[in-house]
Amino acid sequence: MTTIVATREKAGLALPLGLGLGVAGLFALSLCLGSVPIPAAEVGRALFAAETSPTAIIVQDIRLPRAILGAAVGASLGLSGAALQGLLRNPLAEPAIVGTSSSAALGAVLALYYGFAQISPLALPLFAIGGAILATVLLFALVGRDPGVLAIILAGVALSSLGGSLISVAINLSPDPHAALEIVFWMLGSLAERSMDQVWLAAPFMAAGWLMLLRAAPGLDALTLGEETAQSLGFSLSRLRALVVVGCACAVGAGVAVSGSIGFIGLVVPHLLRPLVGHRPGRLLPASALGGAALLLAADCGVRLIPSHQEFKLGVLTALIGAPFFLMLVLDARRRPGGWR
Amino acid sequence: MTGYAIRGLTVKRGDRAVLDRLDLDLSGPGVVGLIGPNGAGKTTLLKSLLGFLPPAAGEVAFAGRRIAAWNRAALACRVGYLPQGAPCAWPMTVADVVDLGRTPHRRARGAHRAADAAAVAAAMAATGVEHLSARSALDLSGGERVRVMLARALAGEPEVLLADEPVAGLDPHYQLQVMEVLRRLADAGRTVVVVLHDLTLAARFCDRVVMLNAGRLAADGPPEAVLTPGLLAEVFGVTIHVGRHADDLYVLPWGLSPPRRAAE
């Protein structure tokens, strides 16, 4: 028994190590990609050089924030997807699918185009987080405690279309005539042309969200055996729900505020990693954070490598990867006993 | 002061009192069978003992302290619960599921790998599920699943185990197996409170039978005193044959008789 546990723990270390190395490699690759070709060795030097040469400015002011945001937003999305799935005990829950992302986007649009962001830059992440909290609370009110696949997808469709239509209203009524095009482009999701200011704006909220979500890990493990068992093991369900709802809202809201909406990372990553952590929802959280960071960094490298006259939007690429994946999961859920319920 | 003291406990669902001014002491080693018709308040009583349901009146105290005053995790170290149905949302291995039973101890005192592994191994041995260790908890038969969930509850080494209909839906072999595990647990000094519908199992394996009817205490005592044709006819509305096989009591529900619910 002791040896089984020991072997499991060794295996448990290999995965985060591997994922961590993957994130580090993709982070470095992301720093090396851009419209100006810079050799890898020079990128390394420019990263730590005093900021005077054009190379140092490109690497430190343009590529570094993009890579940091890629890793951080990806981690937020992967972690949030895994946590929502653990809480709802369903593999189809995901920030974009359940409407959290579009509601965060609505908050961000309101902050950007109605002047709140000019009053204080903090308005942008705060409005996005507010939108995300509202959507997640509504989601729980709609689906109840032990929702089936159908309930989650229906509630998600309802909340996403609500967020989407309110964004349309905001575009329609915006005082800025160029707003429509800008909002639509921003909604597609991108990490291009971001600055360190945006990193500093979003990072504290994302970090707070991660901490809350990681603290939910033991409770999510216990919840596998149902709400009553989780309670009898000493967990407060209301505290657990609050941790996940507010944690997801902070992480996703702050992410959406700086990157626009990027979907499906939170669906694909936990699904791929779940068998590798023995299906334990708690252990899936850190793995999904690393996996999400790796996948979004990879996708962001991808959009820079795809030849097109205008850069491919990141959210479009993740949707192209994620949507077929989502279809497959829905079909898979139908085949299981109980079906869509 | 160990065990439970229940005084004047009333629990309401809407306007209806599911438990009505209940007085009961549950302490000391032994198997306590909790019987009564559907809706008598058996599950509600277990949930009240766990502090899930706030009383409308009266109180539940464990080890001399009101249940609401207990820190959840500290109570979880001492009281184990096996709910009805034993759900499992993800295909975790049996070993991981049983290991979840150690959660309260890990939260209270941090991880003690050796102690945790020993408790998990002992619980799996006690319920005979070691050979299932690497199997997915979703690929088990009904009997296997109940024993795995029982092992999960035992892994927490609780002083008191509350089991809600653990033998429902099991074949006779598994029913006896589960009851024997509970019996051995009581013989080792723990308090086991088990909700049962099979009156013969209650007669054979329990030291004490508590019968509820419409939220009130209908009878409380050793099996011979509670499982009598007269009392059972009154509470369940059935005619019942009570006999003896070797030294053991058996109880056979035989026909319907007009129910006479507790004095209202």
Side-chain angles (χ1 to χ4, degrees), chain B:
Chain B
M1 187 73 199
T2 60
Y4 278 101
I6 301 157
R7 295 287 170 269
L9 178 66
T10 301
V11 176
K12 291 195 166 172
R13 190 162 295 152
D15 282 341
R16 195 172 68 90
V18 188
L19 291 177
D20 193 3
R21 288 161 286 164
L22 197 67
D23 290 306
L24 200 61
D25 283 297
L26 299 166
S27 59
V31 179
V32 180
L34 198 53
I35 64 168
N38 292 327
K42 304 180 296 291
T43 298
T44 304
L45 175 57
L46 292 194
K47 289 184 181 173
S48 303
L49 296 177
L50 290 155
F52 294 176
L53 299 172
E59 68 166 36
V60 176
F62 178 71
R65 196 191 310 166
R66 272 191 322 114
I67 222 68
W70 273 88
N71 168 290
R72 269 185 189 284
L75 185 68
C77 290
R78 296 178 65 176
V79 179
Y81 179 48
L82 187 62
Q84 267 177 56
C88 186
W90 306 106
M92 279 164 51
T93 64
V94 164
D96 280 341
V97 166
V98 176
D99 185 65
L100 283 178
R102 294 303 293 170
T103 310
H105 296 278
R106 273 196 281 266
R107 292 175 79 207
R109 310 193 261 280
H112 283 273
R113 290 212 180 122
D116 289 340
V120 167
M124 291 177 75
T127 54
V129 296
E130 301 112 308
H131 63 293
L132 303 173
S133 178
R135 282 262 292 277
S136 154
L138 295 186
D139 294 339
L140 302 174
S141 72
E144 288 169 338
R145 192 186 261 210
V146 169
R147 283 184 298 147
V148 166
M149 295 304 166
L150 184 56
R152 190 274 304 157
L154 296 187
E157 300 173 313
E159 286 163 39
V160 179
L161 177 68
L162 309 173
D164 198 351
E165 292 194 40
V167 299
L170 299 189
D171 68 32
H173 180 86
Y174 282 134
Q175 290 193 2
L176 290 172
Q177 218 174 27
V178 167
M179 289 310 293
E180 269 168 14
V181 173
L182 298 182
R183 184 66 251 170
R184 280 198 296 273
L185 206 59
D187 294 340
R190 321 276 178 86
T191 308
V192 177
V193 180
V194 53
V195 173
L196 290 171
H197 277 299
D198 187 317
L199 302 173
T200 298
L201 289 180
R204 269 201 69 195
F205 289 96
C206 297
D207 303 293
R208 174 183 168 196
V209 175
V210 171
M211 183 153 66
L212 293 182
N213 190 20
R216 296 188 193 167
L217 194 62
D220 179 5
E224 310 81 66
V226 174
L227 301 170
T228 63
L231 264 173
L232 293 173
E234 189 177 306
V235 169
F236 285 93
V238 289
T239 56
I240 284 190
H241 172 74
V242 179
R244 276 190 184 274
H245 174 74
D247 268 345
D248 290 321
L249 217 56
Y250 66 86
V251 183
L252 281 181
W254 206 252
L256 294 173
S257 70
R260 287 190 289 133
R261 298 285 166 182
E264 281 185 68

Side-chain angles (χ1 to χ4, degrees), chain A residues 86 89 219-227 229-230 279-282, chain B residues 87-92 97 100 149:
Chain A
R89 282 164 284 161
L220 294 179
D221 276 341
L223 200 57
T224 301
L225 303 181
E227 295 193 342
T229 302
H279 298 267
R280 294 189 65 155
Chain B
C88 186
W90 306 106
M92 279 164 51
V97 166
L100 283 178
M149 295 304 166

Side-chain angles (χ1 to χ4, degrees), chain A residues 69-91:
Chain A
L69 283 178
V73 172
S76 297
L77 293 170
L79 186 54
S80 300
L84 279 175
Q85 289 164 24
L87 189 65
L88 290 169
R89 282 164 284 161
N90 195 308

